[in-house]
């Protein structure tokens, strides 16, 4: 079964519930940058995301430079954003420590 792409209103509503995530300029992906105390913290975060991604069979596009991780979520099979991206963004956010 094909994965449906979010409509513009669905996308806008989903983004409203994802603080820190922004729509990529082409409107086909969401992205967020993360900053950690050092490389080890950044790499540990990436390892935790990798485990989530494997379980969900939905893998991010990402990059890492020292203590920074940049994550891009899109669903290639849908030709843009899908519910899978929103769910993955929420799961990634749950990995972060609560803000004090």
């Amino acid at each position: 079964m094909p994965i449906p792409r979010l409509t513009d209103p669905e996308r806008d509503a989903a983004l409203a519930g994802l603080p820190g995530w922004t729509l990529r300029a082409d409107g086909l992906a969401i992205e967020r940058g993360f900053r950690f105390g050092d490389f080890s913290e950044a790499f540990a975060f990436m390892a935790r995301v990798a485990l989530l991604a494997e379980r969900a069979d939905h893998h991010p596009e990402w990059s890492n430079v020292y203590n920074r991780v940049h994550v891009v979520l899109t669903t290639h099979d849908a030709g843009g954003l899908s519910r899978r991206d929103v769910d993955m963004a929420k799961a990634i956010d749950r990995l972060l420590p609560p803000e004090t």
Side-chain angles (χ1 to χ4, degrees):
M1 173 183 267
I3 299 169
R5 183 172 162 176
L6 294 179
T7 64
D8 289 351
E10 289 171 331
R11 179 198 65 205
D12 294 343
L15 271 172
L18 293 171
W21 292 87
T22 59
L23 187 63
R24 193 171 66 187
D26 64 7
L28 300 177
I30 54 176
E31 57 189 352
R32 182 172 178 186
F34 300 90
R35 187 175 295 267
F36 300 92
D38 57 26
F39 176 76
S40 293
E41 287 181 24
F43 193 83
F45 170 76
M46 291 178 73
R48 290 190 304 273
V49 171
L51 293 173
L52 288 174
E54 278 297 297
R55 259 194 317 270
D57 191 29
H58 190 57
H59 304 88
E61 299 172 10
W62 57 7
S63 63
N64 164 244
V65 178
Y66 183 58
N67 68 337
R68 293 169 304 177
V69 177
H70 183 83
V71 177
V72 176
L73 297 172
T74 189
T75 304
H76 298 285
D77 292 342
L81 285 173
S82 76
R83 174 58 44 196
R84 297 180 85 192
D85 302 305
V86 174
D87 293 344
M88 181 61 67
K90 288 178 180 180
I92 289 170
D93 286 349
R94 285 191 296 271
L95 294 174
L96 300 171
E99 294 190 30
T100 55

